[in-house]
Amino acid sequence: MATKSAADIGGRILAARKLAGLSQRQLAAALGVSAMAISKYERGVVTPSSAALLRIGEKTGERIGFFFRSTAIAPQDLWPAHCARRRARDAVALRSRVQDWLERYLDLERLVHAEQTYEVIRTRARRTGAAAAEAAADELRRAWMVGDEPIKDVVALLESRGVKVGVFDVPFDADAVALDAGKGRPVVVFKRDCDRDRQRLAVSRA
């Protein structure tokens, strides 16, 4: 396992805490340390011992390997601000869950040597509304040569083109949001209650 710097481990501690929905004070109280100690861990000022990492993992529900996993994407770049409702805490928690899911997804691909190529088609339709979404969908169909028949499984189609697809309980107004996992790797996150017809339209909007 590659050696990780204090800053790398600190970032993972921060991610674990956010995934668990804990404040610095709450995690500190659970561990019997000061909130300042947690802050120093997360900022990479102090590297926690192996025993401390194990305890942090126990309190946050993460295995020790989580703290040594590579970070797939920068948290501040993950979530388009205009898509989240105004509760910042909900947006932060969701951002952490999406990042954790994506990191696991990419790690699994690397583990089984199944890294996918990706094919992003940027449609020209930029207006909102059903008509604009249909126009973008038609343009995408032509680019991907999928014909005019109904698409039975939008998620399967996207994944076959190398797009990472996740489904979450999300606090944003749109049915789907397009993200970038770095190196141009496209990601689409759907709302859990988004049906297939709405998925088809949402993909072109995202």
Side-chain angles (χ1 to χ4, degrees):
M1 184 178 293
T3 301
K4 290 288 184 180
S5 69
D8 291 333
I9 294 174
R12 303 306 296 174
I13 293 172
L14 174 62
R17 177 174 64 77
K18 288 184 175 180
L19 280 167
L22 298 173
S23 67
Q24 287 185 343
R25 289 184 180 277
Q26 288 171 325
L27 180 56
L31 296 172
V33 299
S34 68
M36 181 59 69
I38 300 300
S39 175
K40 287 182 177 180
Y41 288 161
E42 293 182 350
R43 289 183 289 122
V45 176
V46 174
T47 303
S49 65
S50 297
L53 270 182
L54 285 170
R55 293 182 64 217
I56 292 170
E58 178 184 345
K59 299 303 181 182
T60 58
E62 299 294 345
R63 297 176 181 271
I64 191 67
F66 175 88
F67 301 102
F68 296 93
R69 190 196 304 160
S70 297
T71 300
I73 41 183
Q76 65 270 21
D77 297 333
L78 176 63
W79 207 251
H82 69 278
C83 292
R85 292 180 182 164
R86 295 185 179 277
R87 289 190 61 185
R89 185 171 181 177
D90 289 345
V92 168
L94 176 61
R95 185 164 55 231
S96 297
R97 291 199 301 274
V98 172
Q99 179 165 321
D100 181 60
W101 158 76
L102 184 56
E103 288 168 355
R104 292 175 187 272
Y105 195 132
L106 297 175
D107 276 354
L108 181 59
E109 281 191 345
R110 285 190 290 267
L111 184 65
V112 299
H113 304 291
E115 291 93 341
Q116 290 181 293
T117 57
Y118 33 88
E119 182 179 355
V120 180
I121 304 297
R122 297 297 183 191
T123 62
R124 291 186 293 273
R126 287 294 176 265
R127 292 174 296 174
T128 59
E134 287 286 2
D138 288 342
E139 189 175 343
L140 188 63
R141 281 176 178 273
R142 289 193 294 271
W144 279 356
M145 296 182 290
V146 295
D148 297 325
E149 295 298 318
I151 297 171
K152 294 181 179 180
D153 192 331
V154 171
V155 171
L157 174 63
L158 291 174
E159 291 183 332
S160 73
R161 299 287 177 160
V163 180
K164 316 306 181 191
V165 180
V167 179
F168 294 85
D169 294 317
V170 296
F172 52 67
D173 299 324
D175 289 321
V177 171
L179 308 173
D180 187 344
K183 301 180 181 178
R185 291 172 296 194
V187 179
V188 173
V189 173
F190 285 113
K191 292 179 74 170
R192 192 174 300 280
D193 61 352
C194 184
D195 60 40
R196 289 188 177 183
D197 287 339
R198 287 164 56 200
Q199 282 182 352
R200 182 172 60 84
L201 292 175
V203 166
S204 51
R205 289 193 184 106

